[in-house]
Amino acid sequence: MLDSIFSNVNFDIKAVLIAMGAAIILGIFIGILYKISNAESGSFAVVVAILPLLVTIVIMIVNGNIGTSVAVLGAFGLIRFRSAPGSAKEICFIFFAMAVGLATGMGFFTLAVLLTMVCGLFILILEKINFGSSLSSERELRITIPEDLNYDDIFDDIFSEYTKSIKLEKVKTCNMGTMYELSYRIKMKDMKQQKEFMDKLRCRNGNLTIVLGLVQSGNW
């Protein structure tokens, strides 16, 4: 019924529907899992949900043809390098969804379900225990000062009171050269003193902009 007009490759309509149904169900599960692990998932959750179905269809169309497989891989590679690079989490979920799609496309439905359940449970456990995340007292600090203020030691007493370590990483001009922006990497002595720390800094820099942000290290 669903015979290819280009070759002698035949498709069983029942097997095709089962494979597509399994890919849709498992894809939705992967999409929900991505939304759970990423609050700002946006449209990428939809991409992850539909990817197993697309890969399943491609695998059934290829049906073991090596030449066609190479062409499909080349097309996927072109799409990958023409798109913006994603985060490590997005790349991991893409491979996850593709692996499930490959399994369903080859007819290994039990393997696809086991792969989805085991990998999904593993991801949830790692997310729960914050595995690989290393949020600490280290912060990025950016201070804007007037051009006539000497920044070499103007904040030294405040830094010695509230920080364990301080490193000036970058100095740049801003606002048409009338101000400087100082970029520091600091470690706080007490994380509860951040507001008090910033209040003293803004009193010293004339109440200009101060940014105190997290340093992301090892967060996928």
Side-chain angles (χ1 to χ4, degrees), residues 55-126:
V55 175
T56 297
I57 295 173
V58 170
I59 294 302
M60 288 190 295
I61 293 173
V62 170
N63 197 28
N65 189 308
I66 297 177
T68 310
S69 302
V70 173
V72 170
L73 288 175
F76 276 131
L78 179 62
I79 293 171
R80 170 64 186 88
F81 288 109
R82 289 291 295 172
S83 60
S87 65
K89 177 179 287 187
E90 291 174 348
I91 294 173
C92 175
F93 270 90
I94 286 175
F95 276 105
F96 182 13
M98 289 184 67
V100 172
L102 286 170
T104 54
M106 295 295 293
F108 300 115
F109 302 128
T110 303
L111 176 61
V113 173
L114 286 175
L115 173 62
T116 305
M117 295 296 107
V118 172
C119 287
L121 181 61
F122 190 46
I123 290 173
L124 288 176
I125 291 174
L126 294 180

Side-chain angles (χ1 to χ4, degrees), residues 132-197:
S133 125
S134 58
L135 291 179
S136 65
S137 58
E138 192 173 47
R139 293 289 185 270
E140 292 179 359
L141 174 66
R142 294 198 300 271
I143 307 175
T144 303
I145 62 171
E147 62 175 344
D148 58 348
L149 190 65
N150 184 8
Y151 58 81
D152 287 334
D153 56 1
I154 187 66
F155 303 112
D156 284 358
D157 57 330
I158 302 177
F159 288 152
S160 62
E161 180 180 356
Y162 291 97
T163 66
K164 293 187 290 186
S165 65
I166 179 78
K167 179 182 178 182
L168 179 61
E169 293 191 324
K170 182 173 61 176
V171 178
K172 72 173 185 179
T173 60
C174 59
N175 197 22
M176 302 294 292
T178 60
M179 297 180 184
Y180 288 100
E181 183 180 272
L182 315 177
S183 298
Y184 296 92
R185 183 68 62 91
I186 68 171
K187 283 188 176 181
M188 297 289 298
K189 290 181 179 178
D190 186 354
M191 300 304 298
K192 296 180 180 179
Q193 294 182 325
Q194 292 183 79
K195 183 182 184 304
E196 183 180 340
F197 174 56

